[in-house]
Amino acid sequence: MNLVVVGCGYVGLANALGFAKLGHRVACVDADAGKVAKLDVGRMPFFEPGMPELLRSMQEAGRVVFTGDLGSVINGAEAALLCVGTPPSEDGAPDLSFVHAAADDIAKHLSHPLLLIVKSTVPCGTAAALRERFERAGKGDLVRLASVPEFLREGQALKDFFQPDRVVIGSDDGETRALVDSLHAGIEAPRLIMSHESAELAKYAANAFLATKVSFINEMANLCERTGADVRDVEDVLGSDPRIGADFLRPGIGYGGSCFPKDVGALHRMAGANGYDFRLLSAAIDVNNRQRERFVERLERTLGGVKGRRLAVWGLAFKGGTGDARASAAVDVVRALHGRGAEIVAYDPQATSAAADALPDGIIMAPTAVDACDGAEALVVLTDWAEFRDVSFDAVRERLLGPCVFDGRNLLADLGLPKKGFTYYGVGIQA
Ligand code: UGA
């Protein structure tokens, strides 16, 4: 098929490159001229493993092009994928202005039948509202709408594109469903067919459930610290029960990123707007916000205050494997420690520049993980980058003033740091 992908973020690019690899021809549109110019010469606008190589090979094969002008590509397309962002607006509701702007742009230029696939995470009722929008523009007959939510994770976006757990197809019409199914030929995964509303709500449900699981294990970890239990044992017991599942049971300083906080908040608000008080979600949100504060309080208590003391921080990204620092719990912890007067020297393999805007002045960035430790009284681990486990802890101990490690991700818990002369504090692990 000839496809247009609107929005060149993680979801848009993963879909554009993924469908190109499956043999489709893809034109990608983005309103950010700088991003388009960069992509056009084969440069990625963000860090995502595997994407630079796939971008190069798809450009060489002539299967993917980039433009800022939707009008120049939409009329050659059989399908368009809406992959624009839906960031939280001030009241917490998703801001749909990018979705509406893209739909209006398509309606303005459209003169032939088009399959329009909504990939952006949108509240229940959005597809119905979009249909009305196209009808008002006199283009209702030209558009077949499908709600096909995305479940890919940053850091493994391409793997998730090619091997998803399921393809959700929300549409009221059999032909539209068949078209979406054929577009996904080559992707071996169950097709879950449903209404637009179910597809829209299920996407929020998936993120909210996983976030709730994280908040649950964080509460268990807090209880472990008070009872003498070890949360790793609790994780093992829970995770070995297939009814529970082992994923998303790692405790830490709380979930972050551009999706979980936004989507849990939006679902809570959506429930409220429908006259339902979704209490489990308020608790998951509260626990998540408190978790980073608890970590900071414990660190401050253990060190006897942080004012004027130098701390080495490993990790600013919202999770390991990504350069994204949006709504990062690591950034919140750094801000809180800095606000209490600590001197912070931070290192992150990919997210230093992404985090810079959200950080206060005066945070020092180190060129390597070991350099961050120079003269610091403690090492604070805030992001679960796998490569932190491979750092030489002999070198770390030599550089640190105090051999104290506060691990907000339990990333180094099994490395035997106490035997190497460190005092180690994890989350839910007995010191
Ligand atoms: C999440 C979902 O996992 C994807 O399925 C979804 O498509 C995506 O949001 C989206 O809506 O676009 P992502 O934001 O990339 O993906 O991040 P996750 O890997 O889900 O992690 C979210 C947060 O939870 C991170 O801060 C991570 O550190 C935290 N987390 C995760 C934990 O604290 N413990 C865990 O056991 C797992």
Side-chain angles (χ1 to χ4, degrees):
M1 280 188 193
N2 285 320
L3 305 178
V4 163
V5 169
V6 187
C8 292
Y10 290 89
V11 171
L13 273 187
N15 275 275
L17 299 177
F19 281 120
K21 175 85 180 156
L22 290 176
H24 302 282
R25 284 169 304 276
V26 188
C28 305
V29 182
D30 201 287
D32 179 341
K35 200 186 248 188
V36 170
K38 224 172 176 179
L39 284 161
D40 202 35
V41 294
R43 284 171 53 214
M44 282 291 297
F46 48 78
F47 169 77
E48 180 63 35
M51 271 203 196
E53 298 78 11
L54 189 56
L55 171 63
R56 202 170 319 121
S57 70
M58 289 303 102
Q59 278 180 316
E60 277 165 17
R63 276 195 247 149
V64 62
V65 293
F66 297 93
T67 176
D69 178 15
L70 181 107
S72 66
V73 288
I74 195 70
N75 279 312
E78 291 148 275
L81 283 79
L82 263 189
C83 301
V84 293
T86 52
S89 49
E90 274 191 3
D91 65 357
D95 173 1
L96 296 182
S97 58
F98 298 115
V99 173
H100 292 155
D104 292 349
D105 207 13
I106 291 173
K108 185 169 115 199
H109 292 102
L110 197 63
S111 59
H112 74 294
L114 180 79
L115 169 65
L116 179 57
I117 296 177
V118 182
K119 286 247 138 214
S120 304
T121 301
V122 292
C124 241
T126 302
L130 284 177
R131 165 147 307 292
E132 269 181 43
R133 226 173 163 93
F134 280 102
E135 274 161 12
R136 278 203 305 278
K139 303 288 171 78
D141 292 345
L142 293 180
V143 175
R144 286 182 179 283
L145 260 179
S147 302
V148 184
E150 186 54 69
F151 298 97
L152 59 80
R153 289 160 287 183
E154 289 182 21
Q156 43 190 322
L158 289 175
K159 178 182 169 287
D160 287 346
F161 175 86
F162 289 112
Q163 293 154 3
D165 297 315
R166 68 297 213 198
V167 176
V168 172
I169 305 178
S171 167
D172 319 320
D173 151 64
E175 266 184 61
T176 304
R177 292 167 173 174
L179 270 174
V180 175
D181 181 30
S182 67
L183 173 66
H184 288 80
I187 295 182
E188 299 292 324
R191 277 34 169 178
L192 305 184
I193 311 288
M194 58 194 72
S195 68
H196 286 286
E197 289 76 11
S198 297
E200 290 164 339
L201 192 60
K203 161 70 196 194
Y204 284 100
N207 274 359
F209 187 83
L210 292 171
T212 305
K213 220 174 157 189
V214 173
S215 278
F216 178 84
I217 198 67
N218 279 334
E219 291 227 274
M220 286 308 308
N222 299 340
L223 186 57
C224 284
E225 284 172 14
R226 284 161 179 73
T227 54
D230 188 315
V231 75
R232 290 170 297 174
D233 296 329
V234 178
E235 274 173 73
D236 282 349
V237 173
L238 292 175
S240 58
D241 184 333
R243 294 172 301 174
I244 297 172
D247 291 338
F248 284 75
L249 282 180
R250 280 176 288 112
I253 52 174
Y255 61 76
S258 65
C259 303
F260 276 17
K262 157 180 91 81
D263 291 348
V264 183
L267 182 58
H268 185 249
R269 214 180 161 281
M270 207 190 309
N274 284 280
Y276 184 69
D277 179 16
F278 204 143
R279 289 157 65 175
L280 192 56
L281 292 186
S282 351
I285 294 167
D286 274 0
V287 170
N288 193 51
N289 293 335
R290 247 328 256 144
Q291 195 66 10
R292 48 204 84 185
E293 291 165 15
R294 276 179 201 284
F295 181 77
V296 171
E297 284 160 12
R298 185 179 180 207
L299 190 153
E300 197 174 31
R301 208 169 45 241
T302 310
L303 287 181
V306 295
K307 198 170 168 49
R309 302 174 79 172
R310 188 178 184 120
L311 302 175
V313 164
W314 285 2
L316 296 167
F318 81 94
K319 65 172 183 178
T322 181
D324 194 343
R326 284 176 288 176
S328 169
V331 167
D332 286 346
V333 168
V334 168
R335 289 168 66 95
L337 291 171
H338 181 264
R340 286 162 151 87
E343 186 190 332
I344 307 285
V345 185
Y347 169 74
D348 188 285
Q350 291 292 339
T352 306
S353 55
D357 281 351
L359 289 174
D361 290 344
I363 307 292
I364 302 161
M365 298 295 178
T368 69
V370 171
D371 286 327
C373 298
D374 251 341
E377 295 196 44
L379 166 61
V380 186
V381 181
L382 299 179
T383 306
D384 51 348
W385 277 101
E387 63 192 79
F388 291 158
R389 291 170 56 80
D390 300 329
V391 173
S392 157
F393 285 91
D394 291 336
V396 168
R397 208 188 41 238
E398 273 172 29
R399 302 282 193 103
L400 283 177
L401 279 184
C404 221
V405 178
F406 292 89
D407 186 351
R409 300 287 182 175
N410 291 353
L411 179 73
L412 314 174
D414 61 346
L415 296 186
L417 293 186
K419 284 207 190 89
K420 294 182 177 148
F422 292 91
T423 312
Y424 177 84
Y425 301 94
V427 179
I429 295 173
Q430 298 308 312

